[in-house]
Amino acid sequence: MKTNSLSAWILAVRPYSLGNSVILVLVGSALAWSDGAFHLLPALLCLLFALLMQCTANLVNDLWDYLKGADQPDRLGPDRAFAKGYITLGAMKGGIAAFTLAACAAGCALLAWALRHDVLRYGGWELVAVGLLCVVFAYFYTAGPWPLAYHGLGDVAVILFFGLIPVGFTYYLQTGTWNWEVTLAALACGLVIDTMLMINNFRDRDEDARCRKRTVVVLLGAAFGRWGYLLLGVAAAALCLTLAFAGRYGAALLPLLYLTLHVATWRKMVRIDHGDALNVCLGETARNIMLFGALLTVGILIG
């Protein structure tokens, strides 16, 4: 692969993972639609911000996992562009800066729309604070003197920044409100997306232990990774069931179909147990996450 080529950058931003951002905005927007407050422009801007921030986080992870020794050219998972030498150090730093600035521009556009339409309760400062928090955590997930992913907090960060914040604020920006149904749907999304981190950490547990990357699987053992993966998906579906109390029967029941594929992937994960063969489970997990998001979105829309 040619150094700093378009193909190298596509590899670096990990397009297979970007569907996560899409489903989060879809779920938040579906909730807004069902409550009669959907707005296309802020929904699109939320999607743009989410995608750009995820690309930023992926590039930071690509660079710093290598610098910290967690990603080597012979890693078990999918190729990392910087570790393989496909992107130079200067170009990677420039790319991180460019994606960060683009995300901030999208955030400013969101703020301008929200202020013009008077949907924010606290004058826009809440949006500024959340936007800055997203930028900070995109960096400190793997970079900095105390990276979250290296101290067993990666899963907490995923549930917060790939669940509660994107779904909740996509809804809030369109409606000006937040309720318990939004919180439960957002938390369910975060738990499902965390299955991708769990399978990654389960696969990489030996490498992570060697480089002192203390993920929850390293700290609590492989058995925790096996059962944790299963329980994350089951807990997400169970949370969706509670939406029936709000009369959202479609949103409560349709996500149960996700469990069939989730359990099948878990059984395969347990059978394979270690090695790069677990990348099959990673691909299936990405598929399952998209299915969950689609089922929950449709379920919300049909009531």
Side-chain angles (χ1 to χ4, degrees), residues 85-137:
Y86 300 151
I87 296 178
T88 62
L89 178 60
M92 182 62 85
K93 289 182 176 180
I96 291 170
F99 273 102
T100 302
L101 290 173
C104 291
C108 289
L110 263 174
L111 178 61
W113 184 92
L115 291 174
R116 181 178 179 183
H117 292 80
D118 195 28
V119 298
L120 301 175
R121 291 188 175 186
Y122 305 102
W125 291 110
E126 70 275 39
L127 198 61
V128 173
V130 168
L132 290 175
L133 200 62
C134 289
V135 173
V136 168
F137 275 81

Side-chain angles (χ1 to χ4, degrees), residues 120-280:
L120 301 175
R121 291 188 175 186
Y122 305 102
W125 291 110
E126 70 275 39
L127 198 61
V128 173
V130 168
L132 290 175
L133 200 62
C134 289
V135 173
V136 168
F137 275 81
Y139 282 80
F140 287 98
Y141 180 77
T142 48
W146 206 82
L148 299 177
Y150 286 71
H151 293 85
L153 293 174
D155 301 86
V156 175
V158 166
I159 292 169
L160 182 60
F161 290 96
F162 283 91
L164 290 171
I165 286 178
V167 174
F169 274 85
T170 295
Y171 180 85
Y172 173 69
L173 277 160
Q174 296 178 60
T175 66
T177 62
W178 194 311
N179 56 51
W180 68 269
E181 301 160 48
V182 174
T183 300
L184 289 177
L187 184 56
C189 289
L191 292 174
V192 164
I193 291 176
D194 194 41
T195 60
M196 181 173 285
L197 179 61
M198 190 66 74
I199 184 65
N200 266 305
N201 290 342
F202 181 76
R203 180 200 61 213
D204 296 339
R205 60 191 185 273
D206 293 332
E207 297 174 58
D208 289 342
R210 283 196 298 270
C211 71
R212 296 193 296 179
K213 184 177 182 180
R214 295 183 292 274
T215 66
V216 291
V217 178
V218 171
L219 291 171
L220 301 177
F224 180 87
R226 294 186 195 98
W227 290 104
Y229 180 89
L230 175 64
L231 292 175
L232 283 169
V234 172
L239 281 174
C240 290
L241 278 175
T242 64
L243 293 173
F245 292 107
R248 297 183 183 273
Y249 299 109
L253 298 175
L254 277 182
L256 293 176
L257 298 175
Y258 151 84
L259 285 178
T260 302
L261 291 179
H262 176 67
V263 171
T265 300
W266 170 73
R267 288 171 63 88
K268 186 178 295 185
M269 167 187 165
V270 171
R271 185 172 66 252
I272 296 172
D273 188 65
H274 63 278
D276 58 6
L278 283 167
N279 289 329
V280 173

